[in-house]
Every structure is written in C-alpha cells, then in structure tokens.
Amino acid sequence: DVKVTQSSRYLVKRTGEKVFLECVQDMDHENMFWYRQDPGLGLRLIYFSYDVKMKEKGDIPEGYSVSREKKERFSLILESASTNQTSMYLCASKRANQPQHFGDGTRLSIL
Amino acid sequence: AQSVTQLDSQVPVFEEAPVELRCNYSSSVSVYLFWYVQYPNQGLQLLLKYLSGSTLVKGINGFEAEFNKSQTSFHLRKPSVHISDTAEYFCAVSWIQGAQKLVFGQGTRLTINP
C-alpha cells in the first residue's frame, strides 16, 4: 500500500516565521504535490514536482516555495508566515497515469 | 481551462436511503475523472476513478459513478447509505497528458441521519 507521510498533524506558528512542512512517500513516485484546503474552496494546488529538483507553480504559489532534493521527499516552505496561510495542507504523490495518493494533512495555524 | 463544479455543498439523507452527489466539469481536452472521500481529520481516500472503457465505474464501499461525456458529468451514487458514509466528497479531473495535476470541485458534505 502506498504511504504518504506528513511530518506533523497540527502545527502552530507565529506571523513572520519561516515554516517547513515535510512530506515523504515510500513508493518511488515521480510526481508530488502540495495543496491547501479551505472550506467552500475545495483543494487548491500550490506547487508540484515531477522529478528531483524540478518544480512547477500551481494555482496559488504566492508566499510559498518548495524543495525536492530527494525523490521521496517534497517540502513546502512558507517564507514569512502570515495569518491568511492558516489552513489545512495536503501532500500527494503519484505515478504517471495512476491516481494521486494523499497524506493525512497538516493543520497549520498562524497566530 | 478545466473546472469542476459540485452542484451541492451539503446533502442530508436518511440512513438506508439512496444518494446521488452531482459533479460537472468543463474541459476542451480528454480527462481522467475521480471521486475522493475525506473522513473527519483525515486525508483524501480514492473512492473510484474513470480512466477509459466502461462509463459505469464501481468503487469502494458500494459507491459507483457514471461518466457522461455529452453532459460532461460524473455523478456519484450509492443505493443505500450508512452512518459511516458521513464525510466530505470531492470530484476531481486531470489532463491525460503531462504531470496530470488534479483540479478539484468545492466538495459536498454528506450527512447521514438515523
């Protein structure tokens, strides 16, 4: 079974902090994704990566960056956290022509 | 550009009643279609997918969906729901080419009443 692990289920940070969200998958998937989920808006794509050191912007990349130094790990970085980045963050991975597999999410609060 | 519309934000039904959750999409190219379920405090779990072939797709937990190309719809159905089906359901589409990013609908919260 595919396992996508997000390092934290709940995280509380302060405005202006640099925040790292980590995601690890164990199935050698080429593609990895970061979404944020907000009520009434569904899931919106922040960034995705189709290979090591490769990344592309999604629909809402402003205020975020990503890092993929190893195939199994995809990190989301909030350069300077703001209160409007309080949200649920979901990581996913997939192989070509297969469905995405999701982690359990990180609920991030920025105070 | 692709978009997905889930026509109902909330659907309350009684236990053992049938349910249909509606999903319409727009796309100028061929797509894959998915339904995901999210139980409270969990990530998304794949319910079913349409990649090609038969337009009636069966998934886990007794759910099924029908791909209707002419109406650009992919409605989710279950003939008899249980309390345990209470969750949020997301319809999603992806391009067949490229990295196959998912575009999600806004979600439908299904509430089962005893």
Side-chain angles (χ1 to χ4, degrees):
Chain A
D1 233 13
V2 177
K3 187 122 179 89
V4 180
T5 303
Q6 294 184 231
S7 53
S8 305
R9 292 298 305 274
Y10 301 93
L11 208 52
V12 179
K13 296 291 182 179
R14 296 209 171 271
T15 303
E17 278 193 69
K18 190 169 186 176
V19 180
F20 293 84
L21 302 184
E22 306 286 347
C23 175
V24 177
Q25 50 96 1
D26 66 354
M27 286 301 291
D28 203 38
H29 287 168
E30 303 89 6
N31 302 296
M32 297 187 74
F33 306 81
W34 275 106
Y35 297 88
R36 65 176 282 176
Q37 181 183 8
D38 300 289
L41 298 177
L43 278 75
R44 293 177 292 167
L45 182 65
I46 305 171
Y47 267 97
F48 69 100
S49 168
Y50 51 89
D51 203 349
V52 175
K53 297 191 187 293
M54 306 302 287
K55 61 186 179 184
E56 282 198 27
K57 293 180 180 179
D59 301 316
I60 52 164
E62 297 77 19
Y64 303 94
S65 63
V66 290
S67 172
R68 193 160 180 209
E69 296 296 318
K70 293 184 178 180
K71 193 173 187 179
E72 67 270 19
R73 185 180 298 270
F74 191 36
S75 303
L76 179 69
I77 304 156
L78 285 65
E79 298 291 343
S80 177
S82 64
T83 55
N84 63 13
Q85 292 177 309
T86 291
S87 187
M88 170 74 96
Y89 289 86
L90 289 161
C91 174
S93 73
K94 73 183 294 295
R95 184 168 285 125
N97 299 322
Q98 294 298 318
Q100 292 189 20
H101 297 266
F102 286 82
D104 283 336
T106 295
R107 192 168 291 282
L108 176 64
S109 295
I110 308 296
L111 305 179
Chain B
Q2 294 179 356
S3 67
V4 180
T5 302
Q6 291 183 241
L7 295 154
D8 306 292
S9 60
Q10 296 188 60
V11 174
V13 295
F14 288 107
E15 196 171 15
E16 298 183 9
V19 70
E20 179 180 80
L21 306 184
R22 297 179 292 169
C23 173
N24 285 90
Y25 70 95
S26 66
S27 176
S28 57
V29 298
S30 296
V31 296
Y32 295 144
L33 296 155
F34 305 86
W35 276 98
Y36 284 86
V37 60
Q38 186 179 36
Y39 299 105
N41 297 316
Q42 294 186 25
L44 273 67
Q45 179 181 354
L46 182 68
L47 264 183
L48 49 79
K49 61 185 183 288
Y50 174 78
L51 304 181
S52 65
S54 172
T55 56
L56 183 63
V57 179
K58 293 192 183 297
I60 62 171
N61 301 339
F63 284 93
E64 64 180 32
E66 186 154 20
F67 169 51
N68 187 320
K69 190 173 183 179
S70 63
Q71 297 187 5
T72 60
S73 68
F74 191 55
H75 301 333
L76 181 71
R77 301 184 183 101
K78 186 169 182 178
S80 175
V81 295
H82 301 116
I83 292 283
S84 59
D85 292 322
T86 296
E88 189 146 24
Y89 292 79
F90 292 94
C91 180
V93 301
S94 72
W95 292 276
I96 289 177
Q97 302 300 322
Q100 297 165 358
K101 300 180 294 180
L102 281 173
V103 175
F104 284 88
Q106 302 90 330
T108 298
R109 186 167 298 279
L110 177 63
T111 305
I112 312 300
N113 298 306

